[in-house]
Amino acid sequence: MKERYFEDVKAGDRFKSATYEVSEEEIVSFAREFDPQPFHLDRAVAKRTIFGELFASGWHTAAISMRLFVRALNFAEGAIGLGVDEMRWPSAVKPNDVLQVETEILGLRESRSKPSHGIIRIRNVTTNQRGDVVQTMMASALVLRRK
Amino acid sequence: MKERYFEDVKAGDRFKSATYEVSEEEIVSFAREFDPQPFHLDRAVAKRTIFGELFASGWHTAAISMRLFVRALNFAEGAIGLGVDEMRWPSAVKPNDVLQVETEILGLRESRSKPSHGIIRIRNVTTNQRGDVVQTMMASALVLRRK
């Protein structure tokens, strides 16, 4: 897969990631480690919540979205995240959901402090197999310029 | 540990979490699964970056911060995240860093759509053992009211 540089993207470009199926085991194991709340761990408790069944931690959705984004864009030497804004989880991720990320390049600027790099501003939207949006966010990241 | 309800917190309250030491193995294994970029996986590559050594994915920092927050606040039936704003990673998390989260309650309001719940607005600041801030964010979450 070709490596991308700052100069290879422009505002308005859109990229679709591969897909990723999330298992119930992964939902429970991520939650046990990082978000040990009963509705992420126990089907019976989850049944009594507004979601009606076991659902993934939003941080798990965010981590899977990162995996899909990183592989889809494939910046040379990677993209160093500077910050994330307006992250929302409009629908919950449930066992066996198949996730996909669409990235839109919102804008680009050169880095004043690091002339070797540029800063991209992106919007990532993660959807499930039914087209429901499970996460939206904007982010800024430092990526390498061509020498 | 006592369970907390919406009525048990007020604007201005602050809570300090326990601490969590992050190993190099965990940094690499989280990155391999969710943020497979060379500077999170390979010491030699990381050495050439602005950070000078292996560092954790920001999403790993976020996930550990969630774990510390969840256990420190311990809301009855949990806190359902609605969204996160202005997440920043001012310093990188490195192997053997010891993280701690301080939570400030910024505000509270009743939920119009779910009278059984209230919405809390929080600011979480994650620091390392030297007091460097490794993450800041604001978030809103749905928590249970007393019956």
Side-chain angles (χ1 to χ4, degrees), chain A residues 33-35 37 39 50 59 62-63 66-67 70 77-89 114 137, chain B residues 33-37 39 50 59 62-63 66-67 70 77-89 114:
Chain A
E33 191 167 355
F34 297 116
D35 193 348
Q37 304 199 93
F39 41 67
I50 46 173
W59 299 103
M66 184 63 182
R67 174 196 174 104
V70 160
E77 296 186 21
I80 296 176
L82 300 173
V84 170
D85 294 292
E86 297 177 35
M87 186 156 66
R88 299 289 179 270
W89 297 292
K114 283 174 235 321
M137 56 164 249
Chain B
E33 191 167 355
F34 297 117
D35 193 349
Q37 305 199 92
F39 41 66
I50 47 172
W59 299 104
M66 184 62 183
R67 173 197 174 104
V70 160
E77 295 185 21
I80 296 175
L82 300 172
V84 169
D85 295 291
E86 296 175 37
M87 186 156 66
R88 299 291 178 269
W89 297 292
K114 284 175 236 317

Side-chain angles (χ1 to χ4, degrees), chain A residues 16-20 68 72 99-101:
Chain A
K16 267 208 151 92
S17 76
T19 59
Y20 185 87
L68 292 171
L99 304 187
Q100 184 171 34
V101 172

Side-chain angles (χ1 to χ4, degrees), chain A residues 14-111:
Chain A
R14 285 166 185 268
F15 302 90
K16 267 208 151 92
S17 76
T19 59
Y20 185 87
E21 182 169 348
V22 193
S23 70
E24 179 166 331
E25 292 66 32
E26 284 171 80
I27 288 177
V28 172
S29 111
F30 186 99
R32 193 171 291 133
E33 191 167 355
F34 297 116
D35 193 348
Q37 304 199 93
F39 41 67
H40 296 314
L41 298 170
D42 182 326
R43 278 188 200 190
V45 174
K47 219 166 180 173
R48 300 196 307 263
T49 67
I50 46 173
F51 299 101
E53 60 174 304
L54 203 68
F55 62 101
S57 168
W59 299 103
H60 193 187
T61 305
I64 293 167
S65 299
M66 184 63 182
R67 174 196 174 104
L68 292 171
F69 162 76
V70 160
R71 296 194 168 168
L73 275 287
N74 198 38
F75 280 103
E77 296 186 21
I80 296 176
L82 300 173
V84 170
D85 294 292
E86 297 177 35
M87 186 156 66
R88 299 289 179 270
W89 297 292
S91 316
V93 170
K94 299 184 174 173
N96 308 316
D97 273 2
V98 179
L99 304 187
Q100 184 171 34
V101 172
E102 188 174 29
T103 299
E104 182 185 353
I105 309 291
L106 298 178
L108 302 99
R109 61 186 179 81
E110 293 169 16
S111 166

